Amino acid sequence: MRLGKFLQRIDSVLLKIQNAILIFSTASIILLMCIGVIMRYFLNANFNGLEELILILGFWIYFVGGAIAFRDDDHMEASILYPMIKSEKKKNLYLIWKFTLELPIILVIAKWSFDYLQWSISLLPTTVVYNIPYAVAQFPILICFVLSIFYTLANVVRAIAAYRERDSASGKSEEVQ
């Protein structure tokens, strides 16, 4: 049981870090946009490189948000089968199948994102105005898929536990009858 509490603590810390990144990135984009508007319309000056900064922050928002969506199993999906399943036990089996099928796909994408970041670091391309390495915008891609591996494994474990709980509950109800 200690392992479960330890993993919950890791999850809690990761979620706090991800939320902090989202809050910082979103607030920074809002601030930068306001500064850009003030400079352009009130000071008649340009904010060179504004788009670079917003793009980098946008990558962080998009991919950290994607990792949180994996955590909560909250990605948009078009499942026809799941709503048709009436039995909770069969729904849990479906979720086990779904998460288990997701895992190798996420592993491949995580490997690709690692290779992409490694390639980008070796070339060291930078933004035009501020010379920020592109890897700064590409790093959240890797973070997203590494966290997605962790979260999908957790979802598999949760689905198996729910299936076993449902299975043992149905076994007890059969014994009573």
Side-chain angles (χ1 to χ4, degrees), residues 6 34 53 63 88 97-98 104 109 131 149 177:
F6 176 71
C34 290
L53 299 173
F63 285 102
E88 285 298 315
W97 174 79
K98 179 184 114 171
I109 295 171
N131 293 318
I149 292 166
Q177 295 173 358

mmCIF file of all heavy atoms in Angstrom, residues 6 34 53 63 88 97-98 104 109 131 149 177:
data_model
loop_
_atom_site.group_PDB
_atom_site.id
_atom_site.type_symbol
_atom_site.label_atom_id
_atom_site.label_comp_id
_atom_site.label_asym_id
_atom_site.label_seq_id
_atom_site.Cartn_x
_atom_site.Cartn_y
_atom_site.Cartn_z
ATOM 1 N N PHE A 6 2.916 6.480 -2.455
ATOM 2 C CA PHE A 6 4.091 7.113 -3.065
ATOM 3 C C PHE A 6 3.772 7.580 -4.477
ATOM 4 O O PHE A 6 4.099 8.705 -4.859
ATOM 5 C CB PHE A 6 5.270 6.129 -3.060
ATOM 6 C CG PHE A 6 6.495 6.652 -3.746
ATOM 7 C CD1 PHE A 6 7.250 7.664 -3.186
ATOM 8 C CD2 PHE A 6 6.893 6.125 -4.973
ATOM 9 C CE1 PHE A 6 8.382 8.154 -3.824
ATOM 10 C CE2 PHE A 6 8.017 6.608 -5.620
ATOM 11 C CZ PHE A 6 8.771 7.626 -5.041
ATOM 12 N N CYS A 34 -0.765 42.151 -24.175
ATOM 13 C CA CYS A 34 -1.103 43.501 -23.696
ATOM 14 C C CYS A 34 0.039 44.475 -23.960
ATOM 15 O O CYS A 34 -0.197 45.609 -24.411
ATOM 16 C CB CYS A 34 -1.446 43.471 -22.212
ATOM 17 S SG CYS A 34 -3.017 42.651 -21.844
ATOM 18 N N LEU A 53 8.012 34.486 -28.857
ATOM 19 C CA LEU A 53 7.766 34.208 -27.451
ATOM 20 C C LEU A 53 6.412 33.528 -27.248
ATOM 21 O O LEU A 53 6.295 32.558 -26.493
ATOM 22 C CB LEU A 53 7.841 35.505 -26.642
ATOM 23 C CG LEU A 53 9.191 36.232 -26.687
ATOM 24 C CD1 LEU A 53 9.092 37.582 -25.992
ATOM 25 C CD2 LEU A 53 10.293 35.386 -26.083
ATOM 26 N N PHE A 63 1.196 21.149 -24.980
ATOM 27 C CA PHE A 63 1.674 19.810 -24.657
ATOM 28 C C PHE A 63 1.572 19.472 -23.171
ATOM 29 O O PHE A 63 1.330 18.316 -22.814
ATOM 30 C CB PHE A 63 3.091 19.599 -25.202
ATOM 31 C CG PHE A 63 3.084 19.393 -26.683
ATOM 32 C CD1 PHE A 63 3.425 20.414 -27.552
ATOM 33 C CD2 PHE A 63 2.690 18.186 -27.224
ATOM 34 C CE1 PHE A 63 3.382 20.233 -28.918
ATOM 35 C CE2 PHE A 63 2.645 17.989 -28.591
ATOM 36 C CZ PHE A 63 2.993 19.021 -29.443
ATOM 37 N N GLU A 88 -20.993 -2.909 -16.360
ATOM 38 C CA GLU A 88 -19.810 -2.229 -15.814
ATOM 39 C C GLU A 88 -18.563 -3.090 -15.980
ATOM 40 O O GLU A 88 -17.481 -2.589 -16.239
ATOM 41 C CB GLU A 88 -20.019 -1.883 -14.338
ATOM 42 C CG GLU A 88 -20.932 -0.712 -14.115
ATOM 43 C CD GLU A 88 -20.399 0.585 -14.723
ATOM 44 O OE1 GLU A 88 -19.213 0.895 -14.576
ATOM 45 O OE2 GLU A 88 -21.202 1.285 -15.361
ATOM 46 N N TRP A 97 -8.513 -2.801 -22.355
ATOM 47 C CA TRP A 97 -8.101 -3.004 -23.750
ATOM 48 C C TRP A 97 -7.645 -1.683 -24.370
ATOM 49 O O TRP A 97 -6.600 -1.612 -25.018
ATOM 50 C CB TRP A 97 -9.269 -3.610 -24.530
ATOM 51 C CG TRP A 97 -9.033 -3.741 -25.988
ATOM 52 C CD1 TRP A 97 -8.315 -4.713 -26.616
ATOM 53 C CD2 TRP A 97 -9.505 -2.879 -27.021
ATOM 54 N NE1 TRP A 97 -8.307 -4.498 -27.973
ATOM 55 C CE2 TRP A 97 -9.042 -3.369 -28.248
ATOM 56 C CE3 TRP A 97 -10.278 -1.718 -27.016
ATOM 57 C CZ2 TRP A 97 -9.312 -2.751 -29.460
ATOM 58 C CZ3 TRP A 97 -10.556 -1.107 -28.222
ATOM 59 C CH2 TRP A 97 -10.068 -1.631 -29.426
ATOM 60 N N LYS A 98 -8.430 -0.617 -24.161
ATOM 61 C CA LYS A 98 -8.127 0.691 -24.744
ATOM 62 C C LYS A 98 -6.777 1.226 -24.253
ATOM 63 O O LYS A 98 -5.923 1.621 -25.048
ATOM 64 C CB LYS A 98 -9.238 1.682 -24.396
ATOM 65 C CG LYS A 98 -9.007 3.084 -24.924
ATOM 66 C CD LYS A 98 -10.100 4.026 -24.457
ATOM 67 C CE LYS A 98 -9.516 5.047 -23.533
ATOM 68 N NZ LYS A 98 -10.397 6.124 -23.171
ATOM 69 N N PRO A 104 1.694 1.040 -26.403
ATOM 70 C CA PRO A 104 2.788 0.934 -27.373
ATOM 71 C C PRO A 104 2.819 2.100 -28.364
ATOM 72 O O PRO A 104 3.901 2.512 -28.789
ATOM 73 C CB PRO A 104 2.517 -0.391 -28.099
ATOM 74 C CG PRO A 104 1.182 -0.849 -27.691
ATOM 75 C CD PRO A 104 0.775 -0.090 -26.476
ATOM 76 N N ILE A 109 5.690 7.155 -30.041
ATOM 77 C CA ILE A 109 5.672 8.610 -30.212
ATOM 78 C C ILE A 109 6.659 9.274 -29.249
ATOM 79 O O ILE A 109 7.320 10.256 -29.611
ATOM 80 C CB ILE A 109 4.245 9.162 -30.050
ATOM 81 C CG1 ILE A 109 3.361 8.628 -31.181
ATOM 82 C CG2 ILE A 109 4.243 10.682 -30.068
ATOM 83 C CD1 ILE A 109 1.898 8.932 -31.022
ATOM 84 N N ASN A 131 17.182 34.570 -30.658
ATOM 85 C CA ASN A 131 18.104 33.435 -30.716
ATOM 86 C C ASN A 131 17.829 32.376 -29.640
ATOM 87 O O ASN A 131 18.747 31.803 -29.076
ATOM 88 C CB ASN A 131 19.563 33.903 -30.640
ATOM 89 C CG ASN A 131 19.953 34.683 -31.862
ATOM 90 O OD1 ASN A 131 19.599 34.323 -32.979
ATOM 91 N ND2 ASN A 131 20.673 35.782 -31.665
ATOM 92 N N ILE A 149 3.073 8.195 -20.876
ATOM 93 C CA ILE A 149 3.394 6.795 -20.589
ATOM 94 C C ILE A 149 3.044 6.487 -19.133
ATOM 95 O O ILE A 149 2.359 5.503 -18.833
ATOM 96 C CB ILE A 149 4.888 6.497 -20.864
ATOM 97 C CG1 ILE A 149 5.192 6.586 -22.354
ATOM 98 C CG2 ILE A 149 5.281 5.128 -20.306
ATOM 99 C CD1 ILE A 149 6.679 6.631 -22.681
ATOM 100 N N GLN A 177 -27.197 -15.122 -3.476
ATOM 101 C CA GLN A 177 -28.393 -15.651 -4.117
ATOM 102 C C GLN A 177 -28.321 -17.140 -4.070
ATOM 103 O O GLN A 177 -28.877 -17.977 -3.757
ATOM 104 C CB GLN A 177 -28.473 -15.227 -5.579
ATOM 105 C CG GLN A 177 -28.625 -13.747 -5.710
ATOM 106 C CD GLN A 177 -28.525 -13.329 -7.176
ATOM 107 O OE1 GLN A 177 -28.299 -14.145 -8.062
ATOM 108 N NE2 GLN A 177 -28.651 -12.048 -7.413
#
